Amino acid sequence: MAAAAVAPAAKLEDADALIDSVETFIFDCDGVIWKGDKLIDGVPETLDLLRSKGKRLVFVTNNSTKSRKQYGKKFETLGLNIDEEEIFASSFAAAAYLQSIDFPKDKKVYVIGEEGILKELELAGFQHLGGPTDGDKKIELKPGFYMEHDKDVGAVVVGFDRYFNYYKVQYGTLCIRENPGCLFIATNRDAVTHLTDAQEWAGGGSMVGAILGSTKQEPVVVGKPSTFMMDYLAKKFGITTSQICMVGDRLDTDILFGQNGGCKTLLVLSGVTSLQTLQSPDNSIQPDFYTNQISDFLTLKAATV
Amino acid sequence: MAAAAVAPAAKLEDADALIDSVETFIFDCDGVIWKGDKLIDGVPETLDLLRSKGKRLVFVTNNSTKSRKQYGKKFETLGLNIDEEEIFASSFAAAAYLQSIDFPKDKKVYVIGEEGILKELELAGFQHLGGPTDGDKKIELKPGFYMEHDKDVGAVVVGFDRYFNYYKVQYGTLCIRENPGCLFIATNRDAVTHLTDAQEWAGGGSMVGAILGSTKQEPVVVGKPSTFMMDYLAKKFGITTSQICMVGDRLDTDILFGQNGGCKTLLVLSGVTSLQTLQSPDNSIQPDFYTNQISDFLTLKAATV
């Protein structure tokens, strides 16, 4: 397939110019800040540099299994001092989305997903059911068996779930199909996730795909590459998205997310995307800039300066 | 949404003319022959009439949980004497598809689904793994954990599976993504299935959607409304599809299946579709004819005869 005619990404040469041109940096985490449980070289110094220049830093992740607080601990373990308020996980995005639409507090949320989503819903004051506790439930079939479901469920939130089963699929499907106006919200539709570093693992796209397959309804996606988080950030901090630079290692989530939101975009080659993939004629997603890793900010100065 | 401009279905008035115009009748089962565990009125006499007129009868179902032999027993229980060779379940279709493409006997098939698929693969002489035995498997996560998979798997067959879990999703995904040329075959993509009569249950579309969500690959569908079974039947019996009448109760599977295959189509109102749905401006799928139930064949004669 031929690529659409888009300008090819430029190799980052003048980091200061890029830094000066924006007010906020949004970083994807895996492949940018860390790889698995290992911090990428030069990250602490790079973040310090950006903070010293007065830049706002935001960390986004499509992983919904942890809450913001739990992510904060991961940063801490790696020796990074990041405020909880600077972290935007898709678990938080699901709760923030419900708040943004004034989802009624007397309605409930059915969760297909892990603990992060439950914790964020709790913090936002939403009633929820499902989640890990439904992981061991089985449907004992008898002739004429009827599965009850809660008629007060007004939203089904679906994220990555290692304890995914048919009970959850049927429960979520019943809510979406039979409760009038029930929402179908996906934290993300990623094909793969990094459960361990040893291989790629089927991601949240599987759980979302299962519910789509039985409801034939498209979900509202709150994680990357949907622009919900970007719009939320822009509103929260009172900035325009053109003042944001999105930094990530994935073309079809991070860079697309930045472009969908109207941000500047920087691809780092420290994660899953190689220079060869970026420059392949099959790739139609071109960031504004690319560089090896974010610590290049420390060394790349304009040749003319 | 406005319907496409298609001729509206005609109420069946001259059953003999329809019967005389075709050589084979393909019947969907649920909603046409039976409802749950109850035979629909007049079915035995209707089938006898058609046989006495020399018509070939074929029974198709997207349900993949049973093999042809197991379906034969269901017909027997209901007092119908149907030959195994007259039954085409999507479990059989999966095995027939693999035979049709000369799938190598030294390759293996990974199954996400229930017993029917395993039995049909066995009968066709294909090696298989997965299925119900993987229903209790869990992934015990440790840092760096790597899930092994069989590199000889050359096809993943996905059908309805009550024991669906993350282990199966990841196993099937690994085979499709990492084994060169590995096929992704779906028995069907039905949103709903009739596990019990008491309510609608999430169908095979869920399991297929999950694998699609993690592989981003479209499956080869062998059940309705894909034309594989129709083409197989036409070839097997040496007939053209215009000599077939497809009889079913669902517009978007049965009638579409018949139309995709170039058959005459008859909708019966004894299952899920009401006359109101058929005649709604939102419905764009119009069969050639409609009638209340197949036993109308016994009474409907041309007014002019």
Side-chain angles (χ1 to χ4, degrees):
Chain A
M1 198 176 64
V6 287
K11 188 169 186 344
L12 185 66
E13 290 185 340
D14 185 350
D16 287 347
L18 174 62
I19 294 168
D20 291 345
S21 73
V22 295
E23 196 264 0
T24 295
F25 280 87
I26 301 183
F27 293 100
D28 172 50
C29 298
D30 201 33
V32 179
I33 304 297
W34 59 63
K35 283 196 101 165
D37 288 329
K38 204 172 160 291
L39 204 61
I40 290 174
D41 284 348
V43 163
E45 299 83 350
T46 310
L47 300 183
D48 286 347
L49 170 80
L50 293 173
R51 286 196 203 277
S52 74
K53 289 181 177 250
K55 304 299 163 182
R56 180 181 290 113
L57 307 185
V58 172
F59 302 85
V60 296
T61 171
N62 266 0
N63 190 325
S64 64
T65 61
K66 292 191 175 82
S67 65
R68 301 172 98 176
K69 192 182 276 293
Q70 291 170 311
Y71 264 107
K73 290 205 179 114
K74 168 145 190 176
F75 281 97
E76 209 180 299
T77 310
L78 293 172
L80 292 173
N81 187 20
I82 305 292
D83 193 273
E84 208 177 290
E85 296 286 313
E86 294 174 313
I87 302 168
F88 289 81
S90 66
S91 51
F92 171 78
Y97 177 78
L98 290 170
Q99 281 182 318
S100 76
I101 60 165
D102 288 323
F103 184 77
K105 293 284 163 90
D106 60 346
K107 287 277 184 186
K108 296 174 190 167
V109 181
Y110 184 73
V111 178
I112 297 177
E114 301 194 13
E115 213 184 302
I117 299 171
L118 300 184
K119 284 194 182 290
E120 293 295 353
L121 290 174
E122 251 160 53
L123 283 171
F126 293 116
Q127 300 180 68
H128 57 78
L129 65 164
T133 53
D134 281 356
D136 287 325
K137 290 194 182 156
K138 287 197 172 131
I139 290 167
E140 299 298 339
L141 272 192
K142 281 167 282 196
F145 179 72
Y146 180 90
M147 182 176 173
E148 298 283 350
H149 76 281
D150 192 325
K151 304 293 187 293
D152 290 333
V153 170
V156 176
V157 172
V158 184
F160 178 75
D161 189 341
R162 256 184 305 155
Y163 309 102
F164 190 49
N165 60 16
Y166 185 65
Y167 179 95
K168 295 185 186 185
V169 171
Q170 174 64 0
Y171 202 106
T173 300
L174 283 175
C175 294
I176 293 170
R177 269 211 308 247
E178 300 192 4
N179 291 1
C182 182
L183 303 169
F184 172 18
I185 298 168
T187 61
N188 70 83
R189 297 183 69 167
D190 295 356
V192 297
T193 189
H194 291 96
L195 211 50
T196 68
D197 300 334
Q199 66 186 163
E200 291 201 316
W201 294 84
S206 279
M207 293 79 211
V208 174
I211 301 300
L212 198 153
S214 54
T215 61
K216 305 289 178 193
Q217 276 192 39
E218 288 290 327
V220 174
V221 181
V222 295
K224 294 177 284 180
S226 125
T227 60
F228 170 73
M229 278 206 278
M230 196 77 80
D231 298 338
Y232 180 92
L233 287 167
K235 196 171 167 194
K236 182 182 166 82
F237 297 124
I239 52 175
T240 62
T241 53
S242 62
Q243 294 174 291
I244 299 174
C245 179
M246 173 68 210
V247 185
D249 72 321
R250 284 185 185 264
L251 293 163
D252 59 350
T253 49
D254 301 325
I255 301 305
L256 197 59
F257 171 63
Q259 290 177 339
N260 287 346
C263 305
K264 288 198 171 63
T265 54
L266 171 66
L267 177 80
V268 287
L269 303 174
S270 49
V272 297
T273 307
S274 64
L275 186 58
Q276 196 185 1
T277 302
L278 171 66
Q279 295 178 338
S280 153
D282 290 340
N283 169 42
S284 61
I285 302 173
Q286 294 289 334
D288 295 314
F289 301 101
Y290 72 92
T291 196
N292 288 323
Q293 48 190 12
I294 63 168
S295 60
D296 294 343
F297 280 1
L298 301 168
T299 53
L300 289 175
K301 306 284 171 189
T304 52
V305 171
Chain B
M1 198 176 63
V6 285
K11 189 169 189 335
L12 184 66
E13 291 185 339
D14 185 350
D16 286 346
L18 175 61
I19 294 169
D20 290 346
S21 74
V22 295
E23 197 265 0
T24 295
F25 280 87
I26 301 183
F27 293 100
D28 172 49
C29 298
D30 201 33
V32 179
I33 305 296
W34 60 62
K35 281 197 103 165
D37 288 328
K38 206 174 158 291
L39 203 61
I40 290 174
D41 285 346
V43 163
E45 298 83 350
T46 309
L47 301 183
D48 286 347
L49 170 79
L50 294 173
R51 285 197 204 277
S52 74
K53 289 182 176 251
K55 303 300 163 182
R56 180 182 288 114
L57 307 184
V58 173
F59 301 85
V60 297
T61 170
N62 266 359
N63 190 324
S64 64
T65 62
K66 292 192 176 80
S67 65
R68 300 171 100 178
K69 193 183 275 293
Q70 290 170 312
Y71 264 107
K73 290 206 179 112
K74 169 146 189 177
F75 280 98
E76 208 180 298
T77 310
L78 293 172
L80 291 173
N81 187 20
I82 305 293
D83 193 90
E84 209 177 285
E85 296 285 313
E86 294 174 313
I87 303 167
F88 289 81
S90 66
S91 51
F92 171 77
Y97 177 77
L98 290 170
Q99 281 182 318
S100 77
I101 59 165
D102 289 323
F103 184 76
K105 294 284 163 88
D106 60 343
K107 288 277 186 186
K108 296 173 190 167
V109 181
Y110 184 72
V111 177
I112 297 177
E114 301 195 13
E115 215 184 300
I117 299 172
L118 300 184
K119 284 194 182 290
E120 293 294 353
L121 290 174
E122 252 159 50
L123 282 172
F126 293 116
Q127 299 181 67
H128 57 76
L129 65 165
T133 54
D134 281 356
D136 287 326
K137 289 195 182 157
K138 286 195 173 136
I139 290 166
E140 300 297 339
L141 272 193
K142 282 167 281 197
F145 178 71
Y146 180 90
M147 182 176 173
E148 298 284 349
H149 77 281
D150 193 325
K151 304 295 186 293
D152 290 332
V153 170
V156 176
V157 172
V158 184
F160 178 75
D161 189 341
R162 255 184 305 155
Y163 309 103
F164 190 48
N165 60 16
Y166 185 64
Y167 179 94
K168 295 185 186 187
V169 171
Q170 174 64 359
Y171 202 107
T173 301
L174 284 175
C175 293
I176 292 170
R177 270 210 308 246
E178 300 191 3
N179 291 2
C182 183
L183 303 169
F184 172 18
I185 298 168
T187 60
N188 70 83
R189 297 183 71 166
D190 295 357
V192 297
T193 189
H194 292 96
L195 212 49
T196 67
D197 300 334
Q199 67 187 164
E200 291 201 315
W201 294 83
S206 279
M207 293 79 210
V208 174
I211 301 299
L212 197 151
S214 54
T215 61
K216 305 288 178 196
Q217 276 192 39
E218 288 290 327
V220 174
V221 181
V222 295
K224 295 176 285 181
S226 125
T227 60
F228 170 73
M229 278 207 277
M230 196 75 81
D231 298 339
Y232 180 90
L233 287 167
K235 195 171 168 195
K236 182 182 166 82
F237 298 125
I239 51 174
T240 63
T241 53
S242 61
Q243 293 173 290
I244 298 174
C245 179
M246 173 68 209
V247 185
D249 72 320
R250 284 186 185 265
L251 292 163
D252 59 351
T253 50
D254 302 324
I255 300 305
L256 196 59
F257 171 62
Q259 290 177 341
N260 286 347
C263 305
K264 289 199 169 65
T265 54
L266 171 66
L267 178 80
V268 287
L269 303 173
S270 50
V272 298
T273 307
S274 65
L275 186 58
Q276 197 185 0
T277 303
L278 171 67
Q279 295 179 338
S280 152
D282 289 340
N283 169 41
S284 61
I285 301 172
Q286 295 288 334
D288 295 315
F289 301 101
Y290 71 90
T291 196
N292 288 323
Q293 48 190 14
I294 63 167
S295 61
D296 294 342
F297 280 0
L298 301 169
T299 53
L300 289 176
K301 305 286 167 186
T304 52
V305 172

